[in-house]
């Protein structure tokens, strides 16, 4: 078995399995801890608050924008760019269609991929530079933050190198990094991609019961 | 109590209070540091240690070590965080008690919507159980055990204040009236510092035609147990009010112009007692707004002074009463103007959550008030600030003095009573 066959075959399936079951284990584990039922008479709907809380925190509040603009720019740039590349880069659509969904969808043109990837890179670099240059960020950051950032950065970078699909080695390197990223994902803070809805939702539900319009 | 056991007690309480809500917060935090940009203690000092999420670190460590979904696996391979020690807990104690007013401004900026204020409240349970509580708060708790009031206000002192107010407003105030519509409770600071609120209630409720009373055994609204983080003490304090209200068979208990008291009885109360009450809890602002809308306390001549409103965090941001005070002010004041940044994201006074009862935090509290002073300075020719929280009022009086601002501080109930339509 060649290296490319290994990273796109057995290793990929192992990584994807760890990713799916690890993420499920962690989310279910959080929910299973449980919570006492709130018996104070409600003034509004907790369920509606759960969804409103999730939607509200997608959008930054204007009052904080002056102090947090760098994070807003970096955060939005990185996440929008990443999802753009992940879901609309031609090789990704082909891979997902072949291995997972069985159907494909329109892809980004090459120039579109380059712009989207640059936005993602700039965003990630802004977030990373802020992490080691800002005193607050230095104090609260740990090895998990740095590993998550580096893995994501290297996975994206290797993906750009592999874009031309001219080198099997480059494609295999990209796939290997993706496999490592998938294996690491459920154990670190990358999991915020799935846990955010619980966090925002719980606060939204509490505020919703109080009849508050956030 | 040995050193190790103090840490063990605190950690056990941390874990007990880490429910799925707190766990979701710990799991979702991406260490983005945005919460610092909302915290009045960080903004006024620039010290990174006041970053709200950092204040939670010992509790997060305990969770990651002993309760998180992969904690067993991480322990097995030696990747679990180390045990939380007493030294660390003591190092964090001023962060947990002196530099968090549980104002929840950080939740608004957090991209994950993490309720850090509510989690600090849970974290304080661990500190209180381990006996690691600031001296000022501990003394307040001792006063409560002796007299039911954190300031040692006795029924004799309350009755003297009632008599003064009856004389001043010419309306009798009935104590222990069986079957009254409303039973009012007050913070000690209102009773001793701003007793005119008693006269204001008498005037307003006489006009509205509703019956009300004050219990001679449960007149205190302040819940030091909530501030310290001691659920058993908080429950004991609450039990007195619940027992008195149910014995008097009142229909409602009025929570006063006091921030945390409202959350303690309205939202946390039934959960602490494990049952719903036989009465409804209503905040005085909520009640006055309702009576106003029903036409029972019509507004008369408006106060012409230039006024603004301070938004007490526990009433507005965490209590949900954003519109009601503004609606009352629109009717009572002809020159009302909002401060820059007023409303949901307004700055805390700096003394909530037990900080004002903690002398060790005095300097920090005054520094944080600087941001409130900036907000006040954003209004030209301001004469008066309406502060519908007795604790905030005391902080304002100290803060205005420290920042040399010449403003009158008044309560909302008094203003509404003063601007009531004449018969």
């Amino acid at each position: 078995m060649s290296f490319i066959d290994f990273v796109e075959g057995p290793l990929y399936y192992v990584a994807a399995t760890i990713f799916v079951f690890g993420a499920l284990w962690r989310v279910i584990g959080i929910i299973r801890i449980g919570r006492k039922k709130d018996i104070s008479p409600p003034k509004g709907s907790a369920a509606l608050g759960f969804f409103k809380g999730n939607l509200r925190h997608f959008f930054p509040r204007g009052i904080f924008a002056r102090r947090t603009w760098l994070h807003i720019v970096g955060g939005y740039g990185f996440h929008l760019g990443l999802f753009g590349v992940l879901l609309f880069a031609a090789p990704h659509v082909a891979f997902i269609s072949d291995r997972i969904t069985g159907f494909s969808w329109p892809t980004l043109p090459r120039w579109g991929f380059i712009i989207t990837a640059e936005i993602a890179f700039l965003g990630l670099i802004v977030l990373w530079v802020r992490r080691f240059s800002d005193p607050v960020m230095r104090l609260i950051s740990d090895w998990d933050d740095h590993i998550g950032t580096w893995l994501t950065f290297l996975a994206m970078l290797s993906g750009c190198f592999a874009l031309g699909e001219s080198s099997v080695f480059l494609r295999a390197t990209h796939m290997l990094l993706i496999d490592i990223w998938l294996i690491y994902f459920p154990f670190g803070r990358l999991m915020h991609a799935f846990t955010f809805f619980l966090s925002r939702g719980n606060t939204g539900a509490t505020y919703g019961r109080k009849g508050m319009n956030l | 109590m040995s050193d190790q056991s103090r840490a063990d007690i605190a950690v056990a309480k941390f874990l007990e209070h880490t429910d799925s809500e707190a766990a979701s917060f710990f799991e979702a935090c991406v260490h983005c540091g945005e919460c610092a940009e909302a915290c009045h203690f960080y903004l006024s000092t620039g010290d990174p240690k006041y970053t709200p999420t950092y204040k939670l670190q010992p509790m997060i460590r305990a969770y990651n070590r002993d309760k998180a979904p992969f904690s067993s696996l991480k322990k097995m391979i030696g990747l679990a965080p180390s045990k939380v020690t007493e030294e660390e807990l003591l190092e964090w104690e001023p962060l947990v008690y002196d530099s968090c007013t549980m104002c929840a401004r950080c939740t608004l900026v957090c991209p994950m919507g993490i309720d850090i204020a509510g989690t600090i409240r849970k974290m304080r349970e661990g500190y209180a159980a381990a006996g690691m509580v600031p001296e000022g708060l501990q003394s307040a708790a001792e006063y409560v055990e002796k007299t039911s009031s954190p300031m040692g206000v006795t029924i004799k002192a309350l009755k003297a204040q009632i008599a003064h107010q009856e004389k001043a407003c010419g309306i009798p105030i009935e104590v222990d009236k069986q079957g009254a519509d409303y039973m009012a409770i007050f913070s000690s600071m209102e009773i001793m510092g701003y007793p005119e609120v008693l006269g204001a209630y008498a005037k307003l409720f006489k006009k509205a035609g509703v019956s009300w009373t004050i219990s001679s055994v449960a007149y205190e609204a302040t819940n030091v147990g909530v501030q310290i983080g001691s659920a058993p003490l908080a429950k004991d304090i609450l039990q007195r009010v619940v027992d008195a209200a149910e014995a008097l068979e009142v229909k409602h208990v009025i929570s006063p112009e006091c921030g945390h008291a409202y959350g303690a009885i309205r939202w946390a109360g039934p959960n602490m007692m494990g049952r719903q009450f036989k009465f409804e809890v209503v905040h005085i602002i909520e009640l006055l707004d309702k009576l106003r809308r029903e036409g029972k306390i019509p507004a008369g001549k408006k106060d012409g002074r230039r006024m603004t409103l301070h938004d007490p965090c526990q009433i507005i941001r965490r209590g949900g009463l954003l519109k009601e005070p503004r609606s009352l002010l629109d009717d009572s004041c002809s020159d009302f103007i909002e401060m820059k940044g007023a409303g949901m994201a307004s700055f805390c006074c700096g003394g909530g959550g037990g900080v004002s009862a903690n002398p060790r935090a005095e300097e920090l509290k005054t520094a944080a008030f600087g941001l409130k002073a900036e907000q006040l300075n954003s209004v030209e020719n301001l004469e008066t600030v309406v502060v519908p929280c007795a604790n905030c009022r005391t902080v304002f009086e100290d803060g205005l003095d420290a920042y040399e601002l010449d403003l009158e501080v008044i309560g909302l109930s008094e203003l509404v009573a003063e601007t009531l339509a004449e018969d």
Side-chain angles (χ1 to χ4, degrees), chain B residues 27 51 59 66 85 116 128 147 180 184 293 305 317:
Chain B
E27 297 278 1
T51 302
M59 191 170 179
D66 292 315
T85 64
I116 295 177
T147 65
R293 280 187 283 107
R305 288 174 293 178
R317 189 155 44 239

PDB file of all heavy atoms in Angstrom, chain B residues 27 51 59 66 85 116 128 147 180 184 293 305 317:
ATOM      1  N   GLU B  27     -16.302  24.023  28.211  1.00  0.00           N
ATOM      2  CA  GLU B  27     -15.931  23.336  26.972  1.00  0.00           C
ATOM      3  C   GLU B  27     -15.936  24.272  25.763  1.00  0.00           C
ATOM      4  O   GLU B  27     -15.289  23.994  24.764  1.00  0.00           O
ATOM      5  CB  GLU B  27     -16.907  22.182  26.704  1.00  0.00           C
ATOM      6  CG  GLU B  27     -16.893  21.086  27.764  1.00  0.00           C
ATOM      7  CD  GLU B  27     -15.771  20.086  27.558  1.00  0.00           C
ATOM      8  OE1 GLU B  27     -14.988  20.253  26.611  1.00  0.00           O
ATOM      9  OE2 GLU B  27     -15.691  19.135  28.366  1.00  0.00           O
ATOM     10  N   THR B  51      -9.040  39.368  33.678  1.00  0.00           N
ATOM     11  CA  THR B  51      -9.797  38.793  32.550  1.00  0.00           C
ATOM     12  C   THR B  51     -10.820  37.802  33.113  1.00  0.00           C
ATOM     13  O   THR B  51     -10.444  36.864  33.826  1.00  0.00           O
ATOM     14  CB  THR B  51      -8.827  38.063  31.598  1.00  0.00           C
ATOM     15  OG1 THR B  51      -7.854  39.000  31.147  1.00  0.00           O
ATOM     16  CG2 THR B  51      -9.565  37.474  30.410  1.00  0.00           C
ATOM     17  N   MET B  59     -11.651  26.353  38.919  1.00  0.00           N
ATOM     18  CA  MET B  59     -12.850  25.519  38.737  1.00  0.00           C
ATOM     19  C   MET B  59     -12.780  24.748  37.415  1.00  0.00           C
ATOM     20  O   MET B  59     -13.147  23.575  37.342  1.00  0.00           O
ATOM     21  CB  MET B  59     -14.103  26.404  38.768  1.00  0.00           C
ATOM     22  CG  MET B  59     -15.402  25.620  38.844  1.00  0.00           C
ATOM     23  SD  MET B  59     -16.787  26.725  39.168  1.00  0.00           S
ATOM     24  CE  MET B  59     -18.148  25.574  39.178  1.00  0.00           C
ATOM     25  N   ASP B  66     -11.361  16.049  36.723  1.00  0.00           N
ATOM     26  CA  ASP B  66     -12.204  15.020  37.349  1.00  0.00           C
ATOM     27  C   ASP B  66     -13.594  14.822  36.772  1.00  0.00           C
ATOM     28  O   ASP B  66     -14.288  13.901  37.180  1.00  0.00           O
ATOM     29  CB  ASP B  66     -12.355  15.327  38.848  1.00  0.00           C
ATOM     30  CG  ASP B  66     -11.039  15.141  39.591  1.00  0.00           C
ATOM     31  OD1 ASP B  66     -10.378  14.130  39.356  1.00  0.00           O
ATOM     32  OD2 ASP B  66     -10.667  16.031  40.381  1.00  0.00           O
ATOM     33  N   THR B  85      -4.513  23.306  44.160  1.00  0.00           N
ATOM     34  CA  THR B  85      -3.965  23.352  45.525  1.00  0.00           C
ATOM     35  C   THR B  85      -4.560  24.515  46.322  1.00  0.00           C
ATOM     36  O   THR B  85      -5.146  25.436  45.745  1.00  0.00           O
ATOM     37  CB  THR B  85      -2.438  23.552  45.487  1.00  0.00           C
ATOM     38  OG1 THR B  85      -2.185  24.839  44.903  1.00  0.00           O
ATOM     39  CG2 THR B  85      -1.762  22.470  44.665  1.00  0.00           C
ATOM     40  N   ILE B 116     -20.244  33.910  32.630  1.00  0.00           N
ATOM     41  CA  ILE B 116     -19.148  33.857  33.597  1.00  0.00           C
ATOM     42  C   ILE B 116     -19.642  34.299  34.975  1.00  0.00           C
ATOM     43  O   ILE B 116     -19.265  33.710  35.999  1.00  0.00           O
ATOM     44  CB  ILE B 116     -17.962  34.716  33.109  1.00  0.00           C
ATOM     45  CG1 ILE B 116     -17.389  34.100  31.824  1.00  0.00           C
ATOM     46  CG2 ILE B 116     -16.871  34.817  34.185  1.00  0.00           C
ATOM     47  CD1 ILE B 116     -16.264  34.871  31.190  1.00  0.00           C
ATOM     48  N   ALA B 128     -16.741  29.315  49.795  1.00  0.00           N
ATOM     49  CA  ALA B 128     -17.484  29.463  51.051  1.00  0.00           C
ATOM     50  C   ALA B 128     -17.425  28.168  51.852  1.00  0.00           C
ATOM     51  O   ALA B 128     -17.208  28.194  53.064  1.00  0.00           O
ATOM     52  CB  ALA B 128     -18.929  29.852  50.754  1.00  0.00           C
ATOM     53  N   THR B 147     -29.008  38.874  63.617  1.00  0.00           N
ATOM     54  CA  THR B 147     -30.124  39.837  63.558  1.00  0.00           C
ATOM     55  C   THR B 147     -30.982  39.724  62.298  1.00  0.00           C
ATOM     56  O   THR B 147     -31.940  40.464  62.162  1.00  0.00           O
ATOM     57  CB  THR B 147     -29.567  41.275  63.584  1.00  0.00           C
ATOM     58  OG1 THR B 147     -28.813  41.483  62.384  1.00  0.00           O
ATOM     59  CG2 THR B 147     -28.698  41.530  64.789  1.00  0.00           C
ATOM     60  N   ALA B 180     -52.620  40.790  53.456  1.00  0.00           N
ATOM     61  CA  ALA B 180     -52.364  41.962  52.602  1.00  0.00           C
ATOM     62  C   ALA B 180     -52.049  41.513  51.173  1.00  0.00           C
ATOM     63  O   ALA B 180     -51.631  40.377  50.934  1.00  0.00           O
ATOM     64  CB  ALA B 180     -51.191  42.763  53.162  1.00  0.00           C
ATOM     65  N   ALA B 184     -43.763  43.960  51.657  1.00  0.00           N
ATOM     66  CA  ALA B 184     -42.518  44.569  51.163  1.00  0.00           C
ATOM     67  C   ALA B 184     -41.333  44.145  52.023  1.00  0.00           C
ATOM     68  O   ALA B 184     -41.458  44.019  53.243  1.00  0.00           O
ATOM     69  CB  ALA B 184     -42.651  46.088  51.182  1.00  0.00           C
ATOM     70  N   ARG B 293     -49.485  51.618  34.368  1.00  0.00           N
ATOM     71  CA  ARG B 293     -50.200  51.259  33.129  1.00  0.00           C
ATOM     72  C   ARG B 293     -51.684  51.000  33.379  1.00  0.00           C
ATOM     73  O   ARG B 293     -52.516  51.222  32.516  1.00  0.00           O
ATOM     74  CB  ARG B 293     -49.543  50.047  32.463  1.00  0.00           C
ATOM     75  CG  ARG B 293     -48.288  50.436  31.668  1.00  0.00           C
ATOM     76  CD  ARG B 293     -47.709  49.290  30.862  1.00  0.00           C
ATOM     77  NE  ARG B 293     -46.970  48.365  31.703  1.00  0.00           N
ATOM     78  CZ  ARG B 293     -47.388  47.146  32.046  1.00  0.00           C
ATOM     79  NH1 ARG B 293     -48.543  46.716  31.600  1.00  0.00           N
ATOM     80  NH2 ARG B 293     -46.655  46.371  32.805  1.00  0.00           N
ATOM     81  N   ARG B 305     -35.635  68.531  36.654  1.00  0.00           N
ATOM     82  CA  ARG B 305     -34.169  68.435  36.684  1.00  0.00           C
ATOM     83  C   ARG B 305     -33.655  67.528  35.567  1.00  0.00           C
ATOM     84  O   ARG B 305     -34.351  66.594  35.164  1.00  0.00           O
ATOM     85  CB  ARG B 305     -33.713  67.860  38.031  1.00  0.00           C
ATOM     86  CG  ARG B 305     -33.870  68.810  39.186  1.00  0.00           C
ATOM     87  CD  ARG B 305     -33.547  68.133  40.490  1.00  0.00           C
ATOM     88  NE  ARG B 305     -34.522  67.088  40.820  1.00  0.00           N
ATOM     89  CZ  ARG B 305     -34.452  66.315  41.898  1.00  0.00           C
ATOM     90  NH1 ARG B 305     -33.453  66.441  42.747  1.00  0.00           N
ATOM     91  NH2 ARG B 305     -35.376  65.391  42.131  1.00  0.00           N
ATOM     92  N   ARG B 317     -29.591  43.912  33.396  1.00  0.00           N
ATOM     93  CA  ARG B 317     -28.927  42.936  32.524  1.00  0.00           C
ATOM     94  C   ARG B 317     -29.295  41.501  32.904  1.00  0.00           C
ATOM     95  O   ARG B 317     -29.522  40.663  32.056  1.00  0.00           O
ATOM     96  CB  ARG B 317     -27.412  43.139  32.577  1.00  0.00           C
ATOM     97  CG  ARG B 317     -26.662  42.347  31.565  1.00  0.00           C
ATOM     98  CD  ARG B 317     -25.320  42.957  31.197  1.00  0.00           C
ATOM     99  NE  ARG B 317     -24.529  43.434  32.301  1.00  0.00           N
ATOM    100  CZ  ARG B 317     -24.107  44.699  32.439  1.00  0.00           C
ATOM    101  NH1 ARG B 317     -24.404  45.591  31.520  1.00  0.00           N
ATOM    102  NH2 ARG B 317     -23.377  45.056  33.474  1.00  0.00           N
TER     103      ARG B 317
END
